[in-house]
Amino acid sequence: MKILVSSGPSFGLYFPVVPLAWALRAAGHEVLVASPESMAATVNGSGLPHVATYGPMHMREVMLHDRAGNQLAQASTEEGLLEQVGRGFGRLAARTLDGMLAITEAWKPDAIIGEAHAFSAGVAAKLHGIPWFENGIGIGYRSDIDGWTAQEFAPELEKLGFDALPHPDLVLDTCPAIIHPADVRDDVVAGQPMRCVQYDTPAPVPSWVFEKRDRPRIMITLGTILPNSPAGPAIFNELVRTLPSLGVELVLAMPDEAVAKLAPLPDAVVAAGWMPLTSVLPACDLTVHHAGGGSTMSSLIAGLPQLLAPGVMAEQRDSAQRLCDFGAARQLQSQEVEPAEVLEACRALLEDASYTDRASELKQAIEEMPSPGAVVPVIEDFVRHRAVGAAEETE
């Protein structure tokens, strides 16, 4: 089969799709990744071929600018955040639509796989009568943002004869059932559980991962987007200066430009640079991060409790709340945190075994889900049955 993989211009959107793309290639299928030109080096670096749906761009362009290019103020309320994110994905779909349609017409894939929100891919799939599979991201997203996406994407949808956003034919759901969100789409979209297998960009694994340690190790990571948030550096500055007083080893796993915003660092803090989280987290006891999809899932896969400082994204706040409700994490409720609050939260996460126990439950639940390789036959059967049905209809 020929499988077209769609992605937006973000590591957080592309990385979750890579393991399934690898599994499809390993099964003998032809895979092509379609995304904005700025992702070309990242896609090629993951061992997959790339074709551009649009020129160079960053997610900030569609999230924080309207169609005319005017900068938008960052929303501060929950409803405002939902609208801003939803409309941003609508603008992304509109911007990449012509490219997706042209690539689909020229390459003629048998199916399209895209991350959540990949609605230009969905439109292309529906117009060409081929299956569209949604690859889950992290522990899921707020589906109520889709209403705002539909409003922003409405001109393009109406022009092509759609009266609503297309629904994927099958959702490859990476969220463990025990923390699955209530999702209105469950009534209209079929789901197939699929284990999250994290992909990291190539990087050396530091020697301390294999060495015995004599004190707890806390990992702080900012992910790939938060350093550009005005609130991000402030809250993590507080964390970096507070946590060493617990007598722990504190490791910063983040790019150099993010570390620069936190300088000068206390002596007890190690700036380790960009690291493959899935390789280093098993050597840690606790993670502190912004509740991004990649950082969250890497921590869950490692079975670690988490201290979460959700950023401006509504989906980060939703993920953080669900993990806290389950008992595997604690959350910093304000961007202006008090040192005592941070210390109390980390001490509880390290010393109260219930948090580790609940994190271990989630780790086991993830391990029991079908791997991407095991899901490949599901995709093959779905595409085969769709093709047979289409052929019967034309007879």
Side-chain angles (χ1 to χ4, degrees), residues 222 231-242 259-266:
L222 295 177
I235 190 171
F236 281 92
N237 255 315
E238 192 66 60
L239 295 175
V240 165
R241 280 149 186 77
T242 300
V259 173
K261 296 182 180 182
L262 304 174
L265 298 176

PDB file of all heavy atoms in Angstrom, residues 222 231-242 259-266:
ATOM      1  N   LEU A 222      11.198  21.503  29.310  1.00  0.00           N
ATOM      2  CA  LEU A 222      10.254  22.505  28.812  1.00  0.00           C
ATOM      3  C   LEU A 222       9.601  22.082  27.506  1.00  0.00           C
ATOM      4  O   LEU A 222       8.818  22.839  26.945  1.00  0.00           O
ATOM      5  CB  LEU A 222      10.980  23.839  28.573  1.00  0.00           C
ATOM      6  CG  LEU A 222      11.563  24.544  29.792  1.00  0.00           C
ATOM      7  CD1 LEU A 222      12.309  25.801  29.352  1.00  0.00           C
ATOM      8  CD2 LEU A 222      10.484  24.896  30.766  1.00  0.00           C
ATOM      9  N   ALA A 231       5.237  33.372  29.988  1.00  0.00           N
ATOM     10  CA  ALA A 231       5.107  32.871  31.352  1.00  0.00           C
ATOM     11  C   ALA A 231       6.035  31.697  31.629  1.00  0.00           C
ATOM     12  O   ALA A 231       6.354  31.419  32.787  1.00  0.00           O
ATOM     13  CB  ALA A 231       3.658  32.450  31.608  1.00  0.00           C
ATOM     14  N   GLY A 232       6.481  30.995  30.570  1.00  0.00           N
ATOM     15  CA  GLY A 232       7.267  29.789  30.764  1.00  0.00           C
ATOM     16  C   GLY A 232       8.534  29.978  31.571  1.00  0.00           C
ATOM     17  O   GLY A 232       8.733  29.351  32.610  1.00  0.00           O
ATOM     18  N   PRO A 233       9.451  30.868  31.143  1.00  0.00           N
ATOM     19  CA  PRO A 233      10.713  31.013  31.875  1.00  0.00           C
ATOM     20  C   PRO A 233      10.522  31.442  33.319  1.00  0.00           C
ATOM     21  O   PRO A 233      11.267  31.018  34.197  1.00  0.00           O
ATOM     22  CB  PRO A 233      11.435  32.091  31.063  1.00  0.00           C
ATOM     23  CG  PRO A 233      10.864  31.990  29.694  1.00  0.00           C
ATOM     24  CD  PRO A 233       9.414  31.632  29.906  1.00  0.00           C
ATOM     25  N   ALA A 234       9.522  32.273  33.608  1.00  0.00           N
ATOM     26  CA  ALA A 234       9.332  32.770  34.974  1.00  0.00           C
ATOM     27  C   ALA A 234       9.052  31.636  35.945  1.00  0.00           C
ATOM     28  O   ALA A 234       9.680  31.529  37.001  1.00  0.00           O
ATOM     29  CB  ALA A 234       8.197  33.792  35.000  1.00  0.00           C
ATOM     30  N   ILE A 235       8.128  30.763  35.593  1.00  0.00           N
ATOM     31  CA  ILE A 235       7.772  29.685  36.513  1.00  0.00           C
ATOM     32  C   ILE A 235       8.907  28.684  36.647  1.00  0.00           C
ATOM     33  O   ILE A 235       9.191  28.182  37.738  1.00  0.00           O
ATOM     34  CB  ILE A 235       6.462  28.996  36.060  1.00  0.00           C
ATOM     35  CG1 ILE A 235       5.984  28.041  37.153  1.00  0.00           C
ATOM     36  CG2 ILE A 235       6.623  28.267  34.747  1.00  0.00           C
ATOM     37  CD1 ILE A 235       4.592  27.494  36.882  1.00  0.00           C
ATOM     38  N   PHE A 236       9.633  28.411  35.573  1.00  0.00           N
ATOM     39  CA  PHE A 236      10.716  27.442  35.670  1.00  0.00           C
ATOM     40  C   PHE A 236      11.953  28.043  36.337  1.00  0.00           C
ATOM     41  O   PHE A 236      12.750  27.328  36.932  1.00  0.00           O
ATOM     42  CB  PHE A 236      11.025  26.859  34.292  1.00  0.00           C
ATOM     43  CG  PHE A 236      10.038  25.805  33.887  1.00  0.00           C
ATOM     44  CD1 PHE A 236       8.913  26.121  33.155  1.00  0.00           C
ATOM     45  CD2 PHE A 236      10.204  24.496  34.285  1.00  0.00           C
ATOM     46  CE1 PHE A 236       7.979  25.158  32.817  1.00  0.00           C
ATOM     47  CE2 PHE A 236       9.281  23.514  33.952  1.00  0.00           C
ATOM     48  CZ  PHE A 236       8.167  23.855  33.215  1.00  0.00           C
ATOM     49  N   ASN A 237      12.123  29.353  36.260  1.00  0.00           N
ATOM     50  CA  ASN A 237      13.169  30.003  37.047  1.00  0.00           C
ATOM     51  C   ASN A 237      12.960  29.720  38.528  1.00  0.00           C
ATOM     52  O   ASN A 237      13.901  29.422  39.267  1.00  0.00           O
ATOM     53  CB  ASN A 237      13.141  31.517  36.800  1.00  0.00           C
ATOM     54  CG  ASN A 237      14.285  31.960  35.903  1.00  0.00           C
ATOM     55  OD1 ASN A 237      15.425  31.540  36.093  1.00  0.00           O
ATOM     56  ND2 ASN A 237      13.985  32.793  34.927  1.00  0.00           N
ATOM     57  N   GLU A 238      11.716  29.803  38.955  1.00  0.00           N
ATOM     58  CA  GLU A 238      11.388  29.547  40.357  1.00  0.00           C
ATOM     59  C   GLU A 238      11.674  28.095  40.725  1.00  0.00           C
ATOM     60  O   GLU A 238      12.223  27.798  41.794  1.00  0.00           O
ATOM     61  CB  GLU A 238       9.914  29.866  40.604  1.00  0.00           C
ATOM     62  CG  GLU A 238       9.527  29.917  42.068  1.00  0.00           C
ATOM     63  CD  GLU A 238      10.195  31.078  42.797  1.00  0.00           C
ATOM     64  OE1 GLU A 238       9.977  32.240  42.426  1.00  0.00           O
ATOM     65  OE2 GLU A 238      10.957  30.784  43.722  1.00  0.00           O
ATOM     66  N   LEU A 239      11.335  27.181  39.827  1.00  0.00           N
ATOM     67  CA  LEU A 239      11.565  25.762  40.095  1.00  0.00           C
ATOM     68  C   LEU A 239      13.054  25.450  40.215  1.00  0.00           C
ATOM     69  O   LEU A 239      13.484  24.719  41.113  1.00  0.00           O
ATOM     70  CB  LEU A 239      10.950  24.916  38.978  1.00  0.00           C
ATOM     71  CG  LEU A 239       9.427  24.950  38.834  1.00  0.00           C
ATOM     72  CD1 LEU A 239       8.998  24.165  37.601  1.00  0.00           C
ATOM     73  CD2 LEU A 239       8.747  24.400  40.072  1.00  0.00           C
ATOM     74  N   VAL A 240      13.846  26.006  39.311  1.00  0.00           N
ATOM     75  CA  VAL A 240      15.282  25.731  39.294  1.00  0.00           C
ATOM     76  C   VAL A 240      15.953  26.214  40.576  1.00  0.00           C
ATOM     77  O   VAL A 240      16.901  25.595  41.067  1.00  0.00           O
ATOM     78  CB  VAL A 240      15.919  26.387  38.047  1.00  0.00           C
ATOM     79  CG1 VAL A 240      17.431  26.457  38.179  1.00  0.00           C
ATOM     80  CG2 VAL A 240      15.539  25.606  36.800  1.00  0.00           C
ATOM     81  N   ARG A 241      15.461  27.295  41.129  1.00  0.00           N
ATOM     82  CA  ARG A 241      16.076  27.857  42.324  1.00  0.00           C
ATOM     83  C   ARG A 241      15.509  27.284  43.621  1.00  0.00           C
ATOM     84  O   ARG A 241      16.076  27.491  44.694  1.00  0.00           O
ATOM     85  CB  ARG A 241      15.937  29.383  42.296  1.00  0.00           C
ATOM     86  CG  ARG A 241      16.992  30.006  41.410  1.00  0.00           C
ATOM     87  CD  ARG A 241      16.582  31.280  40.715  1.00  0.00           C
ATOM     88  NE  ARG A 241      17.636  31.680  39.796  1.00  0.00           N
ATOM     89  CZ  ARG A 241      17.857  31.122  38.608  1.00  0.00           C
ATOM     90  NH1 ARG A 241      17.082  30.136  38.194  1.00  0.00           N
ATOM     91  NH2 ARG A 241      18.847  31.511  37.835  1.00  0.00           N
ATOM     92  N   THR A 242      14.427  26.570  43.521  1.00  0.00           N
ATOM     93  CA  THR A 242      13.772  26.041  44.721  1.00  0.00           C
ATOM     94  C   THR A 242      14.082  24.571  44.968  1.00  0.00           C
ATOM     95  O   THR A 242      14.361  24.156  46.093  1.00  0.00           O
ATOM     96  CB  THR A 242      12.246  26.219  44.599  1.00  0.00           C
ATOM     97  OG1 THR A 242      11.947  27.605  44.475  1.00  0.00           O
ATOM     98  CG2 THR A 242      11.532  25.667  45.814  1.00  0.00           C
ATOM     99  N   VAL A 259      17.778  27.161  28.330  1.00  0.00           N
ATOM    100  CA  VAL A 259      18.582  27.249  29.549  1.00  0.00           C
ATOM    101  C   VAL A 259      19.082  28.670  29.754  1.00  0.00           C
ATOM    102  O   VAL A 259      19.143  29.174  30.878  1.00  0.00           O
ATOM    103  CB  VAL A 259      19.774  26.273  29.477  1.00  0.00           C
ATOM    104  CG1 VAL A 259      20.715  26.471  30.663  1.00  0.00           C
ATOM    105  CG2 VAL A 259      19.273  24.836  29.448  1.00  0.00           C
ATOM    106  N   ALA A 260      19.409  29.347  28.647  1.00  0.00           N
ATOM    107  CA  ALA A 260      19.914  30.714  28.748  1.00  0.00           C
ATOM    108  C   ALA A 260      18.912  31.634  29.437  1.00  0.00           C
ATOM    109  O   ALA A 260      19.292  32.591  30.120  1.00  0.00           O
ATOM    110  CB  ALA A 260      20.258  31.242  27.360  1.00  0.00           C
ATOM    111  N   LYS A 261      17.628  31.343  29.263  1.00  0.00           N
ATOM    112  CA  LYS A 261      16.595  32.173  29.885  1.00  0.00           C
ATOM    113  C   LYS A 261      16.485  31.907  31.380  1.00  0.00           C
ATOM    114  O   LYS A 261      15.827  32.660  32.095  1.00  0.00           O
ATOM    115  CB  LYS A 261      15.246  31.912  29.213  1.00  0.00           C
ATOM    116  CG  LYS A 261      15.215  32.308  27.743  1.00  0.00           C
ATOM    117  CD  LYS A 261      13.851  32.069  27.130  1.00  0.00           C
ATOM    118  CE  LYS A 261      13.836  32.472  25.654  1.00  0.00           C
ATOM    119  NZ  LYS A 261      12.503  32.297  25.036  1.00  0.00           N
ATOM    120  N   LEU A 262      17.106  30.824  31.841  1.00  0.00           N
ATOM    121  CA  LEU A 262      17.054  30.465  33.258  1.00  0.00           C
ATOM    122  C   LEU A 262      18.351  30.799  33.988  1.00  0.00           C
ATOM    123  O   LEU A 262      18.452  30.608  35.194  1.00  0.00           O
ATOM    124  CB  LEU A 262      16.770  28.966  33.409  1.00  0.00           C
ATOM    125  CG  LEU A 262      15.507  28.440  32.739  1.00  0.00           C
ATOM    126  CD1 LEU A 262      15.445  26.923  32.863  1.00  0.00           C
ATOM    127  CD2 LEU A 262      14.262  29.075  33.334  1.00  0.00           C
ATOM    128  N   ALA A 263      19.370  31.270  33.272  1.00  0.00           N
ATOM    129  CA  ALA A 263      20.677  31.545  33.863  1.00  0.00           C
ATOM    130  C   ALA A 263      20.604  32.764  34.789  1.00  0.00           C
ATOM    131  O   ALA A 263      19.742  33.636  34.601  1.00  0.00           O
ATOM    132  CB  ALA A 263      21.698  31.760  32.757  1.00  0.00           C
ATOM    133  N   PRO A 264      21.526  32.828  35.775  1.00  0.00           N
ATOM    134  CA  PRO A 264      22.561  31.832  36.107  1.00  0.00           C
ATOM    135  C   PRO A 264      21.979  30.679  36.911  1.00  0.00           C
ATOM    136  O   PRO A 264      21.059  30.861  37.696  1.00  0.00           O
ATOM    137  CB  PRO A 264      23.556  32.644  36.936  1.00  0.00           C
ATOM    138  CG  PRO A 264      22.702  33.675  37.610  1.00  0.00           C
ATOM    139  CD  PRO A 264      21.635  34.037  36.618  1.00  0.00           C
ATOM    140  N   LEU A 265      22.526  29.492  36.699  1.00  0.00           N
ATOM    141  CA  LEU A 265      22.001  28.299  37.361  1.00  0.00           C
ATOM    142  C   LEU A 265      22.700  28.050  38.694  1.00  0.00           C
ATOM    143  O   LEU A 265      23.909  28.261  38.822  1.00  0.00           O
ATOM    144  CB  LEU A 265      22.198  27.074  36.460  1.00  0.00           C
ATOM    145  CG  LEU A 265      21.477  27.085  35.117  1.00  0.00           C
ATOM    146  CD1 LEU A 265      21.868  25.844  34.326  1.00  0.00           C
ATOM    147  CD2 LEU A 265      19.977  27.153  35.298  1.00  0.00           C
ATOM    148  N   PRO A 266      21.971  27.555  39.689  1.00  0.00           N
ATOM    149  CA  PRO A 266      22.599  27.150  40.957  1.00  0.00           C
ATOM    150  C   PRO A 266      23.573  25.997  40.719  1.00  0.00           C
ATOM    151  O   PRO A 266      23.453  25.240  39.746  1.00  0.00           O
ATOM    152  CB  PRO A 266      21.400  26.691  41.803  1.00  0.00           C
ATOM    153  CG  PRO A 266      20.215  27.364  41.198  1.00  0.00           C
ATOM    154  CD  PRO A 266      20.501  27.442  39.734  1.00  0.00           C
TER     155      PRO A 266
END
